[in-house]
Amino acid sequence: MTTRVRGGRYIVRGEAVIGGSIRVSGAKNHALAAMCAALLTDEDVILENVPFITDVDSLADLLRSLGARVERLADGALRLNASGVTTCEAPTELISENRASFQVMGPLLGRHGFAASAPPGGDVIGQRPIDVHLSGFEAMGAVVTREGERFVARAPAGLTGTRVFMDYPSVSGTQNVMMAAVLARGHTTIVNAATEPEVQELCHMLNAMGARISGIGSQMLEIDGIERLRGTRARIMPDRIEAGTWAIAAVITGGELFLEDAPWDVMDALLHKLRATGATITTGPRGMHVRGSQPIRAVSFQALPYPGLATDLHAPFGALLTQANGVSIIHERVFDNRMLYVSELRKMGAEIVSTGSSAIVSGPTPLHGTRVRALDVRAGAAVLLAAMAAQGTTVIDDIYHLDRGYEHLDDKLRTMGVEVERA
Ligand code: UD1
């Protein structure tokens, strides 16, 4: 597994000529939830196509600290076994490494009747509350208390199915409550559930483990609780955010890329907006081909829950719009602080003003290489994309954020024609 070292720096040569073919890796957000689901059974769960990224490493360490076994098999698959779980208390230093880790709570509570964890870490992209998770557990009969820095959920007699309303269709909240509900007594209805493709994939995986979930893909999930789940073998879906990032790389540089395995059938919002900029995109059974064109047309967008344009692609798309002809308006409707990338792009010459959750981008402005920071995983992707299009050399600090979410990044960048050096 890769080592998690903070810091790190990329030196990126600008005016990259992008071309060739890149295979899209397994989806970070699907892999992390699927790993947590392994806590629901004492049998082996084998996950194929789990990306080699540091968020996977830190969650693997967390699962091991609970007593689970996690190992990479010779064929690259991840084998998890939670038969030896010895504690349901997540160590704070590991929980704080990424937000997905709080999703150990639901499976632990559902299976063992007890779970404790500090609030999760992850990107600094605004307030990331967990009230939806906790009120779901409480609705099913758990008693949740705050003890010091930790949230402790207790249901010694087990959880009871009920009707759970999610105040916001939180992705990890839906997954957490759903993983608790599959082992609850009776029937649970989750109203206002998240419908993201990764949530749907988790539902299918849980059903393969014996769970009874219906309404998959809708905002209303119906779950009949069962007594025990079995192991399974599942394949992690390709990462729509990674695919989207490289599609934008092709367009911002006026290049072209074939994105093997790109899950274009769950990327409608992005493809619609990229085509509106003038890009040509063709899709087929093996993936999708993206070709940028000049001039890039300005487009406005809102970042929304699925099937809207993913908030994780807001910053990368914002970088693209600095090269578009005209004024573009961006509204962020999911997180309240997705604008970290704006200040970094401005250092490179971009004309962007942000006001709260909106940004106005005027373009095209020539970007020039300078020293910038990857402030979170997607803000990091935005400066990386800008660096590819810029004149001169850009130094990007704190690229450990990019390693959290992008597999084999150096190799992929070089394959597509970016001159990059890691220092
Ligand atoms: C997941 C993804 C992340 C993506 C996000 C939105 C993982 C590991 N991460 O994050 O990449 O950007 O979905 O698609 O899967 N909220 C509440 N109360 C809660 C929980 C969330 O109000 O209890 C609000 C948040 O403040 C935010 C919004 O819901 O405004 C979306 O958050 P959520 O869907 O929970 O995102 P994550 O699951 O953390």
Side-chain angles (χ1 to χ4, degrees):
M1 299 213 171
T2 47
T3 19
R4 299 193 297 278
V5 187
R6 294 206 167 229
R9 177 181 305 156
Y10 264 151
I11 300 156
V12 184
R13 178 81 57 84
E15 295 176 273
V17 180
I18 299 286
S21 173
I22 295 289
R23 192 184 83 84
V24 177
S25 298
K28 167 173 91 74
N29 292 347
H30 178 202
L32 298 174
M35 288 170 70
C36 293
L39 290 171
L40 285 163
T41 175
D42 57 11
E43 296 181 12
D44 277 0
V45 168
I46 296 176
L47 301 175
E48 297 168 4
N49 205 31
V50 174
F52 286 82
I53 52 174
T54 55
D55 267 11
V56 164
D57 297 344
S58 58
L59 181 57
D61 285 348
L62 170 60
L63 296 175
R64 288 189 193 104
S65 77
L66 302 173
R69 285 201 312 273
V70 186
E71 58 185 325
R72 280 277 182 184
L73 303 178
D75 63 1
L78 202 64
R79 176 164 60 201
L80 302 104
N81 185 293
S83 57
V85 165
T86 47
T87 174
C88 294
E89 300 191 38
T92 302
E93 68 279 8
L94 293 176
I95 273 287
S96 63
E97 286 198 19
N98 76 57
R99 174 156 177 97
S101 50
F102 197 68
Q103 292 175 98
V104 300
M105 287 289 281
L108 289 173
L109 181 63
R111 183 155 164 235
H112 302 281
F114 178 84
S117 167
D123 286 329
V124 193
I125 49 174
Q127 283 189 45
R128 300 189 80 167
I130 43 171
D131 53 300
V132 159
H133 307 233
L134 300 179
S135 66
F137 299 153
E138 282 175 331
M140 288 187 282
V143 175
V144 180
T145 50
R146 182 94 198 227
E147 296 177 13
E149 62 178 355
R150 299 179 319 153
F151 290 99
V152 182
R154 292 184 176 85
L159 296 169
T160 308
T162 185
R163 198 171 173 92
V164 177
F165 175 71
M166 313 234 98
D167 214 12
Y168 187 96
S170 157
V171 170
S172 52
T174 301
Q175 294 177 157
N176 225 346
V177 171
M178 181 167 81
M179 287 192 277
V182 289
L183 290 177
R185 260 187 318 274
H187 187 85
T188 301
T189 303
I190 303 181
V191 184
N192 202 23
T195 63
E196 269 67 7
E198 296 78 11
V199 181
Q200 299 181 35
E201 290 295 323
L202 180 66
C203 293
H204 292 304
M205 173 179 164
L206 293 171
N207 280 352
M209 294 169 76
R212 293 203 207 122
I213 306 173
S214 59
I216 298 172
S218 78
Q219 289 169 306
M220 190 104 123
L221 291 172
E222 305 285 353
I223 304 166
D224 281 311
I226 54 162
E227 267 183 25
R228 61 182 293 278
L229 293 183
R230 54 180 179 266
T232 190
R233 186 175 190 108
R235 187 165 177 82
I236 300 303
M237 68 177 290
D239 197 313
R240 64 196 168 104
I241 307 302
E242 191 208 353
T245 305
W246 303 144
I248 293 170
V251 180
I252 196 173
T253 57
E256 59 182 303
L257 275 178
F258 182 74
L259 300 171
E260 192 186 332
D261 289 347
W264 49 264
D265 55 342
V266 292
M267 297 174 66
D268 295 274
L270 178 75
L271 302 197
H272 176 74
K273 291 294 176 187
L274 284 180
R275 286 183 175 123
T277 68
T280 307
I281 300 170
T282 46
T283 58
R286 288 185 45 246
M288 71 184 192
H289 182 267
V290 183
R291 180 187 293 122
S293 78
Q294 294 293 336
I296 299 169
R297 288 197 290 269
V299 297
S300 294
F301 73 87
Q302 304 190 45
L304 292 164
Y306 187 78
L309 195 125
T311 175
D312 286 340
L313 288 170
H314 163 168
F317 209 103
L320 169 63
L321 294 177
T322 67
Q323 300 309 294
N325 207 343
V327 174
S328 308
I329 298 173
I330 302 172
H331 290 300
E332 170 62 45
R333 304 274 302 275
V334 179
F335 288 109
D336 56 15
N337 190 17
R338 263 285 185 212
M339 298 293 173
L340 294 175
Y341 73 98
V342 167
S343 59
E344 299 307 294
L345 292 188
R346 284 170 66 100
K347 290 181 195 164
M348 300 177 72
E351 270 187 43
I352 312 185
V353 253
S354 74
T355 51
S357 287
S358 299
I360 302 168
V361 190
S362 307
T365 43
L367 298 176
H368 51 81
T370 183
R371 190 160 188 155
V372 288
R373 285 177 66 200
L375 291 169
D376 66 45
V377 52
R378 308 306 170 190
V383 290
L384 178 59
L385 292 163
M388 292 180 194
Q391 290 157 11
T393 299
T394 304
V395 178
I396 307 176
D397 287 318
D398 291 338
I399 55 164
Y400 72 95
H401 280 296
L402 284 160
D403 294 331
R404 291 186 38 213
Y406 291 91
E407 183 183 48
H408 304 320
L409 187 54
D410 304 20
D411 290 347
K412 287 189 177 185
L413 289 172
R414 289 189 188 115
T415 304
M416 66 178 87
V418 183
E419 279 184 54
V420 62
E421 198 185 309
R422 185 181 281 257

